Amino acid sequence: IYLGASLVISHYELPSIIKEFHELYPNIKFNISSGHSSKIFTMLNNQEVNVAITRGNLKWHEESHVLFDEPV
């Protein structure tokens, strides 16, 4: 799975997400890219990643899920 994640998510949240996923699906491998949310969003639009975990309100018109709510 080609995964893109924002810098903050990559640093603070992604390790536990990957660990939990790997426990359920041990044979799935990840190729992870991190960067600013706008870069990850562009990578998703360009089909350079299969999944993107970003921060902020980006205009995505396909399936999406809120993983975390951040205080304003």
Side-chain angles (χ1 to χ4, degrees):
I1 295 175
Y2 289 86
L3 172 69
S6 73
L7 294 169
V8 170
I9 291 171
S10 292
H11 185 74
Y12 295 104
E13 305 293 343
L14 195 56
S16 62
I17 293 170
I18 295 295
K19 181 178 184 277
E20 186 176 325
F21 188 92
H22 185 68
E23 288 171 359
L24 295 170
Y25 308 100
N27 295 324
I28 303 294
K29 305 293 183 208
F30 284 93
N31 182 333
I32 300 171
S33 299
S34 64
H36 294 286
S37 289
S38 58
K39 175 189 170 196
I40 300 303
F41 186 70
T42 299
M43 292 176 76
L44 182 65
N45 279 317
N46 292 338
Q47 298 180 345
E48 297 171 39
V49 295
N50 309 107
V51 176
I53 304 174
T54 60
R55 299 174 71 205
N57 187 16
L58 301 169
K59 302 283 188 223
W60 182 248
H61 300 289
E62 295 191 35
E63 185 176 352
S64 65
H65 302 274
V66 175
L67 299 178
F68 311 102
D69 283 321
E70 296 180 307
V72 178

